[in-house]
Amino acid sequence: MDIEATDVVRLIAQFLKEHRLQASLAVLQRETGVSLCTVDNMDSFKADIVGGRWDAVLASVEQAQVPHDKRVALYEQIVVELAEQRDFGPARALLRQTEPMELLRTIQPDRYLALERLLSRTSFDPQHAYGGSREARRRAIAEELAREVRSAPPSRLLTLLGQAVAWQQQQGLVPEGAPLDLLFGRAQAAAPGEDKAPCRQLATIKFAKKQHPNCVAFSPCGAYLATGSTDGFVEMWSTVSWKVAAELEYQAKSALLMMEDAVACLAFSPSGDLVCAGSQGGRVSVWRVATGACVKRFTVASSHAVSCAAFSKDGSQVLVGFGSALRIYGLHSGSMLKEFQGHTAPVTGAVFSESMGCVLSVSEDGSVRVWDAATAGCVHAVVPGAGQGLLAPAAHGIVALPGAPSDFVVFTKSASVYIVTTGGAVRRTFTATGACKELLAGAVTPNGRYIMAVSSSSTVHYFDADTGAEQTVEAKVPGAEILGMAVHPKLNIAAFFSRDRHIPIWTA
């Protein structure tokens, strides 16, 4: 169904009229050339004309912008009635100072002069002045004007918007009772609240048979959860309905973002405008989230998967890990800008520091390396799990600790989690208690209060970043080990994924 732009203008004009925003209404009609031509109530409008309540009639007619000839006839009637009442001052003002009467003098001077003569006479002949009776002339004018205006239902714009929102609620696009950002068509972004440990299931995202998610990432504003799957698709899911975000037109038309092979990692730019995906085949693609347009594609390596990705602070560069190396690529040129070599096993995670002065990376060799972003030289190398056995446990993730620009949380395939600084120091160690032997995935809550880590027994461990206190919750993920997780940037919501084709969504 096509909607005419003029209809939208009329809806807005009617809204302005109902809320007595007369100056805005006048500007809108003048700038668009679209007349509203409505009255509040047709019966009342006609009754005002027949009853001679001219102040109300003139206000309605001027607002409705009826044709000039009909306005001339109305003003002429009022002048004649004022002459009958011997109220010559207002009659002459109306005749000589109003736009309809000026128009009459220009196009029908004889008719105008007849009114001037009427106002100079000492006697009044109704039959001659009205061409009949005054009441009959009023009724004729009422019928003429009624054909030029319509009575619009009250609050029409708000009614239509309410119906549209109700339909979106039925489709699961917005939740009932949720504050809605009407302009952007989604729930209003929530402000960060107090960190609480997600411990109960909120929803579940299900994938089709023969595929499962390989990676997930929340957008910086929290509106979307991006998933990359084994079939090469990258999909955006609404964090309100936990369904595919239909407000993104390319997804509504099933024109999904796609890579040539399995998606291995995902990252959003800090602004949330771009999403980057790395594949098992060593390729990188960057798309615009709003339109699905591809910004850049390039091949990093044909013999290694792209294991991790991260954007620079301004979104102009992307850091990728593959094999035992890392590279920085410029999005404008697609060219490699820096390469970092030094790890002795595959890189599993990498981030820029807050100042952009350094890059931090972790690897299956168990080390955390701090690199100078300008020279690509390694300035610090630390193995936080050294001394736990013959071989240091592999590190599989690194995330910044909110509120502490120099601190990063490092997750290893052991029972321990570490806070490592940009100065190469291990500032704190958290060790899971009980039967936990290995932590498979981890994340940090929005304000940095809790460090979350999932064990091989599907238990989620929560460490208080300040006190070191630990609590655990059983993660109900049947049939497969959890492969990874992500935490909402503002809310106490966590998403887990595994090979069983389900993404459980937890909340506090």
Side-chain angles (χ1 to χ4, degrees), residues 351-360 370-374 379 408 422:
V351 291
F352 284 101
S353 67
E354 174 68 20
S355 67
M356 294 295 297
C358 58
V359 168
L360 291 89
V370 183
W371 312 85
D372 186 305
V379 293
F408 293 81
T422 52

Side-chain angles (χ1 to χ4, degrees), residues 365-369 380-388 391-393 412 418 420 424 426:
D365 62 17
S367 71
V368 182
R369 289 183 178 262
H380 300 290
V382 58
V383 182
Q388 295 185 18
L391 296 175
T412 65
Y418 307 90
V420 177
V426 179

Side-chain angles (χ1 to χ4, degrees), residues 346-349 362-368 384 392-397 410-413:
V347 172
T348 53
V362 294
S363 163
E364 289 183 5
D365 62 17
S367 71
V368 182
H396 56 74
V410 174
F411 301 92
T412 65
K413 290 188 177 180

Side-chain angles (χ1 to χ4, degrees), residues 54 58 74-80 82 88-102 112 119:
W54 300 120
L58 288 176
L74 172 64
Y75 276 71
E76 183 180 35
Q77 176 72 11
I78 297 173
V79 170
V80 172
L82 289 172
F88 295 118
R92 288 191 177 95
L94 199 67
L95 179 63
R96 298 169 182 174
Q97 299 175 18
T98 59
E99 185 263 340
M101 293 293 93
E102 285 291 331
Y112 177 86
L119 296 180

